[in-house]
Each structure stands twice: as structure tokens, then as C-alpha cells.
Amino acid sequence: MELGLAGRRALVTGAGKGIGRCTVQALHAAGARVVAVSRTREDLDSLVRECPGVEAVCVDLGDWEATERALGGMGPVDLLVNNAAVALLQPFLEVTKEACDRSFEVNLRAVIQVSQMVARSLIARGAPGAIVNLSSQASQRALPDHSIYCSTKAALDMLTKMMALELGPHKIRVNAVNPTVVLTPMGQANWSDPHKAKAMLDRIPLGRFAEVENVVDTILFLLSDRSGMTTGSTVPVDGGFLAT
Ligand code: NAP
């Protein structure tokens, strides 16, 4: 399916590893002009070597002022993928202030901040746009030790609907993608234990974790005009987990 992304300018957060990195590679291959935002300089350097022309911005999105400085002059962006997140797993009774603050700063507050910057510029230019927020199946199901992560993603699902409501009249669509486990560095850190993995796999009707490509294909579809009537949705890429 031709997605018509060539020439569009896209910004991807959390672009250094995992789903964000593969999203940049796919957008670059589709002819989009990409701004890749991430925290570790070496990841961005190797990404730019792989995908010449990609613009790299190195910033910790948990730092509001640094983000304002780093992205303040980013220029016009048509498509935004809010992908950066942390998964700090703790049993509920052991949740710390630090993990709570950090998780909400990166997983939710940075989405608000970067989306405001992109949406304000789109509105000022009178241009249409599309935003995709990387949520999770964890936004809708309780998982052991995931109190804070689940809560950030539940909030992100509702933020997606609010942004769709208020930005729709400006022709800006906003959707969330809600994957099951993907064995990226984040997925490997949290799901490598075979017993834990089996308990999750037993709850997934298709009986497997998602591949990064499954998630990236859905992101690209939601960024493209092929999904032109879809906004405010939370799209599972979960092998049926949320259906059970
Ligand atoms: P990942 O492998 O941990 O990669 C995340 C990327 O985001 C890394 O490049 C990381 O950079 C960057 N990042 C994190 N915090 C940042 C910050 N404060 N500022 C700038 N960049 C930051 O994660 P992933 O598995 O690809 O996950 C991508 C998205 O999918 C996340 O929103 C996640 O919640 C969601 N998701 C993942 C899974 C899964 O099983 N993997 C399942 C459902 C949903 P550094 O490494 O340098 O910190």
C-alpha cells in the first residue's frame, strides 16, 4: 500500500533504540524527512550513519527546559511519533517518588510538551498533521509490578482522545498504538524470564509477542492519509490480548 509519506517531515522521539529506531528507518525508507530525538548520542550517531539525511537531536525529554531549548527551533513538522518512554517496574508497595516522577515526566509530560510545540506550529501554518502516541496493552490491563507504567499509559490513552478532540478542528489527527510485548531493549529487560514470558504468552490468542515491524507498520498507517478518518483511537497490536 502506497502511504504517500515522501517529502513529509516527521519527528520521532526515543529514536535511538527499539520501536523508535525502526520507525525512523521505515520513514526514511519511505522518503520522509526525519528528525530523530533521543537521549544517547552514540545511538543517534549510528542511526544517522545508517540513514543519511536524518537530523539528530540529543536531549533528555524528561527535562522540560532542555527540551524547550533543543526543539524550540526544530522548524515545521507534519508528523509526530511520541515514542520515548521508560518502564520502571516496582511492586505497588515499593513505588518510589523518583520512579513515579520520572515515569510521568517522560511517558506523559514530554508527550504534552512536544505535541504542543508541533501542533502550535501546524496551526500557525494552517497545515494538517498526524500524531501517533506509543501506548501499550498495559494501559488497559493490570500487570504485576506495572502500577506506574500502566498508569502512565492509561493517562496517555485519555490524552490521545483529548488531543483528538481539541486538535481535530485544526485537521490534526491523534491516535495511539497499543502493542503487546516486543523484544526491544525495553522488552528484553522486562520479559526475558521464561516463566514470566510464558504467563504472558498464555494470555495472547496468537501465542507470540509482537515483532517491531508489526508495530511500525501500524504507526506508519496512522501517520498516513490512508487512515484519514481515524482519530482518537487506541489501536492494539497485541495478538488479541485485549480481546480476552
Ligand atoms: P526501548 O527499547 O527502551 O527504547 C526507547 C528509546 O527511547 C531509547 O532510545 C531511549 O533512549 C529513548 N528514551 C527513553 N527515555 C528518554 C528520554 N527521557 N529522552 C529521550 N529519549 C528517551 O523501548 P521500546 O521497547 O522501543 O518502546 C518504545 C515505546 O513502545 C515506548 O513508549 C514503550 O512504552 C512502548 N511499548 C513497548 C513495549 C515493549 O514490550 N517493548 C510494549 C508496549 C509498548 P536511551 O536508551 O538512551 O534512554
Side-chain angles (χ1 to χ4, degrees), residues 14-20 37-40 43 59-62 83-86 102 106 134-137 149 153 179-187 191:
K17 301 184 176 76
I19 294 166
V37 181
S38 206
R39 210 175 56 90
T40 301
D43 290 342
V59 68
D60 178 350
L61 292 162
N83 166 80
V86 291
R102 180 74 180 157
V106 179
L134 261 292
S135 182
S136 169
Q137 64 180 13
Y149 183 77
K153 295 301 187 182
T180 185
V181 175
V182 190
L183 291 174
T184 60
M186 178 190 288
W191 296 97

Side-chain angles (χ1 to χ4, degrees), residues 13-227:
T13 71
K17 301 184 176 76
I19 294 166
R21 188 179 185 98
C22 290
T23 301
V24 172
Q25 291 163 340
L27 284 167
H28 181 257
R33 294 174 295 139
V34 189
V35 182
V37 181
S38 206
R39 210 175 56 90
T40 301
R41 169 61 63 191
E42 297 75 47
D43 290 342
L44 289 168
D45 288 347
S46 65
L47 182 59
V48 171
R49 279 196 297 276
E50 277 174 44
C51 302
V54 165
E55 298 168 62
V57 178
C58 191
V59 68
D60 178 350
L61 292 162
D63 181 335
W64 183 281
E65 287 72 29
T67 300
E68 204 71 38
R69 282 193 299 275
L71 295 180
M74 69 185 145
V77 167
D78 308 299
L79 311 171
L80 169 62
V81 183
N82 287 306
N83 166 80
V86 291
L88 306 175
L89 306 193
Q90 296 170 327
F92 171 71
L93 291 175
E94 292 166 27
V95 167
T96 60
K97 176 180 183 295
E98 289 69 28
C100 193
D101 288 350
R102 180 74 180 157
S103 300
F104 275 92
E105 283 165 8
V106 179
N107 299 11
L108 191 75
R109 197 183 69 182
V111 176
I112 295 171
Q113 184 185 19
V114 179
S115 300
Q116 282 179 337
M117 295 168 93
V118 168
R120 283 176 185 145
S121 159
L122 283 167
I123 293 165
R125 288 185 285 133
I131 299 175
V132 173
N133 295 330
L134 261 292
S135 182
S136 169
Q137 64 180 13
S139 68
Q140 296 170 44
R141 291 291 183 282
L143 304 172
D145 302 334
H146 280 66
S147 292
I148 297 305
Y149 183 77
C150 283
S151 300
T152 64
K153 295 301 187 182
L156 184 59
D157 281 2
M158 182 47 80
L159 179 68
T160 301
K161 294 180 206 291
M162 283 304 311
M163 289 167 61
L165 176 71
E166 296 195 10
L167 299 179
H170 300 286
K171 298 188 170 48
I172 302 171
R173 296 183 301 105
V174 188
N175 292 287
V177 174
N178 298 55
T180 185
V181 175
V182 190
L183 291 174
T184 60
M186 178 190 288
Q188 284 164 14
N190 291 322
W191 296 97
S192 290
D193 171 6
H195 295 293
K196 193 175 163 187
K198 182 176 184 310
M200 176 56 75
L201 286 166
D202 286 346
R203 295 173 67 184
I204 300 175
L206 290 183
R208 63 177 179 83
F209 292 152
E211 301 295 334
V212 182
E213 292 72 22
N214 301 141
V215 182
V216 172
D217 285 348
T218 306
I219 295 170
L220 263 59
F221 172 67
L222 289 171
L223 289 177
S224 80
D225 295 343
R226 292 290 179 146
S227 61

